[in-house]
Amino acid sequence: MTAEPHLSETALVEEATKKSGLVWVSGPGAAPETRALWHVWVDGAAHLLGDGPGEQPLPAGLGDGATAVVTVRSKDKGGRLLAWTARVTALEPHGEAWETAVAELKGKRLNAPDAETMTDRWARECRVLRLDPVSADTRPPEGSLAAPPLPTEATTRRPVPDALPRLLFRRRKRDS
């Protein structure tokens, strides 16, 4: 990692992050939690929304004054393009920076159940974080960056019933 990103690195961080729909953000700590998060790029920084009901969970320990590592994927190949270190700032609800970021976040938020009042809900129940680039690492990664998926209640825990293929095959045969 370089101490200060050069102009070309800053431009690369901005362009790659803007084009990527998701970024992987690692929180601080000895064993950082990494999550794929949607974001927007506003005023030279990535902005995240989360930790509220129905919104994306943010990595543990990610808060005001923390340092995070942001990994950006290549839009065409899906692999790691670059990683950059960010200084995290929590934005105060209804402040000027918060309003600017939320205006962009609102346009990117898909399938919101309360589209008309979601910004009020965000101010009450969610956090908006600004991730300012501090340094960039444009070198290719060493080794695999694969990680096991995080635990979720959405995981199927039972095998497919033995009779299911026969039922599907029989139904398809009758329909012909």
Side-chain angles (χ1 to χ4, degrees):
M1 299 264 179
T2 57
E4 283 293 317
H6 297 288
L7 186 57
S8 62
E9 287 177 343
T10 303
L12 180 60
V13 164
E14 180 173 350
E15 193 63 26
T17 307
K18 276 182 179 179
K19 287 186 176 186
S20 182
L22 290 174
V23 291
W24 279 259
V25 180
S26 299
E33 178 183 43
T34 302
R35 292 200 177 264
L37 303 169
W38 66 274
H39 67 286
V40 294
W41 186 271
V42 181
D43 294 333
H47 290 74
L48 307 172
L49 166 80
D51 283 352
E55 302 299 341
Q56 62 189 352
L58 300 174
L62 198 63
D64 201 25
T67 300
V69 175
V70 179
T71 303
V72 181
R73 70 183 180 103
S74 166
K75 190 153 183 157
D76 59 343
K77 301 287 184 188
R80 178 192 181 270
L81 185 60
L82 64 104
W84 50 277
T85 304
R87 182 180 58 254
V88 181
T89 306
L91 301 181
E92 284 297 317
H94 300 296
E96 186 179 332
W98 187 90
E99 293 288 349
T100 303
V102 164
E104 292 294 321
L105 287 162
K106 185 177 180 180
K108 286 270 197 149
R109 175 64 168 94
L110 301 176
N111 304 322
D114 58 347
E116 299 298 320
T117 60
M118 74 180 162
T119 55
D120 294 331
R121 178 175 54 85
W122 290 351
R124 283 189 321 270
E125 302 171 354
C126 299
R127 295 189 304 145
V128 177
L129 302 178
R130 177 184 171 99
L131 279 59
D132 287 291
V134 174
S135 63
D137 182 6
T138 57
R139 296 172 298 168
E142 293 179 15
S144 173
L145 297 176
L150 295 171
T152 176
E153 295 175 10
T155 303
T156 303
R157 300 202 182 268
R158 295 185 208 127
V160 175
D162 291 333
L164 186 61
R166 286 182 297 204
L167 291 171
L168 293 174
F169 181 70
R170 215 180 286 150
R171 185 173 290 156
R172 201 178 308 147
K173 195 173 181 180
R174 266 191 249 146
D175 292 342
S176 329

